[in-house]
Amino acid sequence: ALVLLALNGAGMLLFHRFPGFFFPAYRRISRTWIGFLAQLTSFTRVSVWDILAALLFFVLLFSFLYVLRKHRNILSWLGTVVLTVSVLATFAVYGWMLNHYAPSLSEELGYTIRPYSKQELYDACEYYLLQAAEYAPQMERDAEGHLIRPDFYALAEEAGSSYTVLGKDHPVFQGSAVRVKRFSLIGEYLMYNGIIGMFMPLSGEASIPASVPTAPMPFTMAHEAAHRL
């Protein structure tokens, strides 16, 4: 476990110090790996990892109670737990998380980043406000004026493949087009904590709770799908 944790730390340090040496090769490898995992878990429309995480929690709980009841070596149990966590962390770090040290997206898209003035910020906010005012009446609404919720699973399919067209012009957006998943167990808990979406590198799943508000639902799905790429 300690060796694996040390390897994770070493990987983060090296990728942080020498990103030019590891990228873009690592991104291609990572995208292929994540795409494989996403395809592997695509048999269901609900998130697989949160179900497995719940099962793992109960396995840990009952095994701990068993160790206490049978007066077994608790240090051995603890060592198994730490090793399990270390293995999962290693797959997550080397499979996807080292992308945090990649060149910025603006560099890959050829965008120039510069400080903006207060007037530019004001103009941008005014522009998007007017755009919202223009498009809001075109949205489907009920008799009370509330947005009509789209079919979650139909939208999830669309969001999963939403970067396919962009990927033709920008290779950074090429990758898995698997559907976005619905949280089946912990989604509501995440909502209470201000989290309305999550990407899990151990399963390649982009997931959101079904109770995400109607207006930001398409954006949230697309945002989580982007993490796979």
Side-chain angles (χ1 to χ4, degrees):
L2 292 176
V3 168
L4 289 176
L5 292 176
L7 285 174
N8 291 338
M12 293 178 188
L13 179 62
L14 289 172
F15 274 65
H16 177 66
R17 293 287 300 275
F18 309 106
F21 178 79
F22 294 103
F23 293 95
Y26 171 77
R27 173 165 281 164
R28 288 196 295 267
I29 296 171
S30 173
R31 185 186 287 120
T32 301
W33 170 246
I34 291 299
F36 167 75
L37 292 176
Q39 193 64 43
L40 195 65
T41 57
S42 65
F43 62 91
T44 175
R45 298 191 295 182
V46 298
S47 179
V48 172
W49 77 262
D50 65 326
I51 298 175
L52 295 179
L55 291 175
L56 181 60
F57 170 78
F58 285 110
V59 168
L60 290 175
L61 178 61
F62 287 119
S63 64
F64 177 70
L65 294 176
Y66 177 82
V67 167
L68 290 181
R69 183 179 179 183
K70 297 296 184 178
H71 304 289
R72 300 293 177 84
N73 188 341
I74 196 169
L75 289 179
S76 177
W77 175 88
L78 184 61
T80 303
V81 172
V82 174
L83 179 60
T84 301
V85 172
S86 300
V87 170
L88 294 176
T90 301
F91 273 105
V93 168
Y94 281 93
W96 180 78
M97 294 180 69
L98 292 175
N99 281 302
H100 285 92
Y101 303 108
S104 66
L105 188 60
S106 60
E107 291 181 43
E108 301 201 37
L109 296 178
Y111 289 168
T112 300
I113 304 298
R114 61 171 178 80
Y116 52 80
S117 66
K118 290 183 179 180
Q119 184 61 44
E120 287 175 316
L121 179 60
Y122 179 91
D123 291 342
C125 290
E126 183 180 48
Y127 171 80
Y128 286 115
L129 177 62
L130 293 175
Q131 289 287 297
E134 178 182 346
Y135 285 106
Q138 301 178 31
M139 302 299 293
E140 291 187 78
R141 299 176 183 273
D142 60 22
E144 297 179 353
H146 299 140
L147 289 176
I148 296 177
R149 286 184 76 81
D151 178 80
F152 182 96
Y153 297 111
L155 190 62
E157 291 280 358
E158 186 177 350
S161 59
S162 58
Y163 292 92
T164 303
V165 176
L166 272 176
K168 296 177 181 178
D169 296 324
H170 303 287
V172 70
F173 292 123
Q174 294 175 357
S176 173
V178 172
R179 69 170 71 92
V180 175
K181 302 291 193 70
R182 177 178 67 83
F183 279 124
S184 54
L185 290 178
I186 64 174
E188 291 301 324
Y189 172 79
L190 292 174
M191 288 282 288
Y192 292 140
N193 286 274
I195 300 172
I196 60 172
M198 184 177 291
F199 173 73
M200 172 50 68
L202 291 174
S203 61
E205 293 176 297
S207 309
I208 74 167
S211 55
V212 167
T214 304
M217 184 182 288
F219 164 79
T220 306
M221 285 186 175
H223 174 90
E224 298 307 325
H227 283 303
R228 284 199 304 245
L229 311 180

